Amino acid sequence: MGIVSKMSGDQQRRAAGRLRRLLGAKEIDRLVGADSRSAAIDVLLANRPVRTGASVQDGRDFLTARRLDHPDGLRAERLASVLSRLFWVLAAIFVLAAVTALVLGMVASSEDGAASDPFEALGDLTGDGGRLVALALVVPLALALLARWTLSFMRPVIALADARYAVRWAGARPGQLARGLPVVEPFSGFAGWLKVPAVLLWVAAGAAVLFALWLPTYDGPAWDVYLAAAGLALLGFVPALGAREASRVAALAQDHLVILAGRKRGLRVDAATALQEQFLQVAFRAPFSRTSLGSFASVREWTAYPLTSVLDEAELRRRRRHAVAELDDVDVSPAGQTPLVTSEKPGEHGGLSGRFDEEYAGGWLVGEAREQGSGNRILLLVRDHPERFRTEVLPAFGQHLNLDLNSLLVLDPPEPLPTEGSWLESWVKEKAAERR
C-alpha cells in the first residue's frame, strides 16, 4: 500500500495544495485549466497519468524546448557546474599549499640548528606566520568540503527546477496533463534533508539528558538541562514533520502529475535517460595477476542510455559534466560518442560481492566473449529478459564496449544464476575452474 493510499482525503488535499505552491500556483492553475485553488486541487487529484512509450517520447519535445529556452542549462544546473569547478579549484589550492608548506619545512629542517620536524621547523621559520600557513591549509580545505557537501544536495534541487519548467511547458500543450509530465518526481530528496537535522536534534536531546543524569545531585535535579533537552526534542519534530509532508507531496506528485521514476545510481532520470540497458561483465584474469577484487577476476557493470542518441553535442557535453561531478567510481563515455554509456566497478576493496549479488541474483548468464587487448575471458550477465540481449541490449552500446565481438558466443538457452546469498564470488571461482 502506497503513501497516497494511506492518506485521508484532507491530507491528500493539503499535499496537493503544497504541490501547487511548490511548482507555481499560477502555472499549475493554467496547466489544469482551473481558476481557483480548490478547483486546481480537484483536477490534480482526479488526474492519473500512465507511463507509456508515447508519453515518454513527449520528453523529446520537452528537452528540445528546454534547450531553446535555456541553452546553458537551468539555473540550478549552472550552479551545480560552478560548485563542481569551485571544489576542484579549492582542492588544488589546498594540495599546492600543503606541498609548499612541506617543502619549506623540509628545507628549514635541513639547516644547522633547525628542528628536525618539517612542520615544527616551518613554525620556527615563520614565527607568527605559522598561523598564516595554517590558515592557507585550513581555509581552502574547509571551503572545498563545504562546496562538495552542497553539491551532494543539488540533484533534488535540479529536479525541482526541471519540474517547474515542465509545468510551464505543459501548460501550452493541450492534453499534456493527462499524459503526465515527462520528468522525475522532484521532492523525495528534500525529505532526507529534513530527517538529518531532526535526528541530530534528538541525539543532542538524549545527550543532554545523559549529561544531566551524570551531574552531581546534591544541588537537586538539573532542571535547566532537562528543559533544554525537552526543547531540543520538540524542535526536532519540526523538520521531522516537514520530512513527512515532503514524502507525502512526493508520493502525490508521482501518482497524479509526473511519469518518470528516480533511481539510486546512474545518470539523472529524464526523458533521455529514462530508458537504460544494462549488463554485468565478469572477466577472468591470468593466474599470475591476482587482484583485490577476487579469484582472478574483475567485475564491471555497463549501462547504456539509448535515447540520448538524439541529443546534440552541447547537451551531451553538459550531461557528461554533471555525471562526472555527481557519480563516484563511474566512467562516462567520451565526447563525440552516442549514446551515453557509463561503466561502474566496485570500489578498490569492494570485492566481487556487494550490490551485484543482490541485483543480479536469479538473473541469467547470456554469453561469453574475449576482452580486447588482454584476451581475458568475459562472462556476460543480465538481470532479466535474456532473449533481448543480442537484439536489443548489445546494440545500444555502439562503439563503447571493450569486448571482442567477433569472439562473442551467446548461450542458447541462457544459464540461470544463483538466487540468494553472496553467490557471485563463489560462482566466479566455479566458472573459472570449469574453463581452465
Side-chain angles (χ1 to χ4, degrees):
M1 183 179 294
I3 295 177
V4 174
S5 60
K6 295 179 181 178
M7 295 162 57
S8 67
D10 289 341
Q11 289 173 337
Q12 290 189 33
R13 293 189 68 83
R14 285 198 296 271
R18 293 188 180 93
L19 174 64
R20 173 177 171 270
R21 290 195 298 272
L22 288 168
L23 295 183
K26 292 182 180 179
E27 290 78 7
I28 285 287
D29 292 350
R30 179 190 179 199
L31 173 64
V32 302
D35 55 4
S36 68
R37 175 182 182 276
S38 179
I41 290 174
D42 289 337
V43 175
L44 276 176
L45 293 177
N47 187 58
R48 287 195 171 273
V50 177
R51 177 181 172 179
T52 65
S55 61
V56 172
Q57 294 300 320
D58 287 341
R60 295 190 176 186
D61 296 337
F62 169 72
L63 292 174
T64 299
R66 194 181 67 174
R67 283 201 303 275
L68 292 175
D69 291 341
H70 302 279
D72 297 325
L74 300 172
R75 182 182 301 175
E77 291 175 318
R78 298 196 299 272
L79 176 59
S81 297
V82 171
L83 285 172
S84 178
R85 290 194 293 268
L86 179 62
F87 166 75
W88 288 112
V89 169
L90 291 169
I93 292 174
F94 167 74
V95 172
L96 180 62
V99 171
T100 302
L102 180 61
V103 171
L104 291 176
M106 292 177 65
V107 171
S109 66
S110 65
E111 295 179 357
D112 293 338
S116 59
D117 182 83
F119 292 102
E120 184 180 347
L122 182 63
D124 293 339
L125 179 66
T126 58
D128 290 338
R131 297 179 181 178
L132 296 178
V133 174
L135 286 175
L137 294 173
V138 172
V139 171
L141 177 60
L143 291 177
L145 293 176
L146 178 61
R148 184 62 183 175
W149 179 77
T150 306
L151 189 61
S152 67
F153 293 131
M154 287 305 298
R155 181 173 286 211
V157 173
I158 291 171
L160 176 58
D162 205 35
R164 291 177 66 91
Y165 178 80
V167 169
R168 298 194 298 272
W169 167 81
R173 290 167 60 95
Q176 188 63 51
L177 177 66
R179 294 165 69 89
L181 303 186
V183 294
V184 69
E185 179 276 301
F187 303 110
S188 60
F190 295 107
W193 286 10
L194 294 169
K195 289 177 182 177
V196 172
V199 172
L200 291 177
L201 287 168
W202 288 333
V203 169
V209 170
L210 292 176
F211 176 71
L213 294 174
W214 173 80
L215 287 174
T217 58
Y218 50 80
D219 290 332
W223 292 114
D224 53 343
V225 180
Y226 287 125
L227 288 174
L232 290 172
L234 290 175
L235 190 60
F237 280 101
V238 175
L241 292 174
R244 186 182 67 177
E245 290 304 309
S247 296
R248 287 176 173 177
V249 173
L252 189 136
Q254 191 69 72
D255 280 5
H256 298 288
L257 194 58
V258 305
I259 59 173
L260 302 182
R263 62 173 73 100
K264 293 181 180 179
R265 291 175 303 277
L267 302 181
R268 297 179 198 146
V269 178
D270 61 18
T273 58
L275 175 63
Q276 60 178 10
E277 300 288 4
Q278 291 179 304
F279 72 90
L280 195 67
Q281 167 188 309
V282 179
F284 298 139
R285 299 195 179 280
F288 301 106
S289 61
R290 181 183 292 271
T291 71
S292 62
L293 294 180
S295 179
F296 310 125
S298 66
V299 62
R300 171 180 293 191
E301 184 178 53
W302 290 88
T303 304
Y305 301 88
L307 295 181
T308 59
S309 297
V310 302
L311 302 178
D312 58 33
E313 181 52 37
E315 180 71 11
L316 290 170
R317 185 167 55 251
R318 185 175 62 83
R319 289 168 183 267
R320 288 190 190 92
R321 185 169 62 248
H322 289 307
V324 170
E326 293 180 357
L327 303 180
D328 296 323
D329 299 322
V330 173
D331 297 323
V332 185
S333 54
Q337 295 186 9
T338 58
L340 281 177
V341 171
T342 62
S343 61
E344 180 177 359
K345 296 182 288 186
E348 182 179 355
H349 303 293
L352 288 176
S353 59
R355 70 176 182 87
F356 294 140
D357 278 319
E358 177 181 356
E359 294 180 358
Y360 284 84
W364 302 88
L365 171 62
V366 292
E368 297 185 22
R370 293 285 181 179
E371 191 174 32
Q372 289 182 347
S374 67
N376 292 328
R377 184 185 295 274
I378 302 293
L379 298 182
L380 310 174
L381 285 60
V382 297
R383 299 175 184 175
D384 48 32
H385 302 298
E387 70 282 355
R388 297 177 56 248
F389 182 72
R390 181 192 287 274
T391 58
E392 298 180 40
V393 177
L394 270 184
F397 290 86
Q399 56 188 313
H400 302 297
L401 294 178
N402 60 345
L403 300 178
D404 179 3
L405 295 182
N406 292 326
S407 68
L408 175 65
L409 173 63
V410 177
L411 303 184
D412 188 17
E415 178 182 329
L417 299 175
T419 58
E420 58 185 16
S422 299
W423 59 271
L424 185 54
E425 186 116 18
S426 58
W427 181 82
V428 167
K429 292 179 181 178
E430 178 185 334
K431 294 302 174 185
E434 289 178 1
R435 287 160 172 78
R436 281 176 184 167

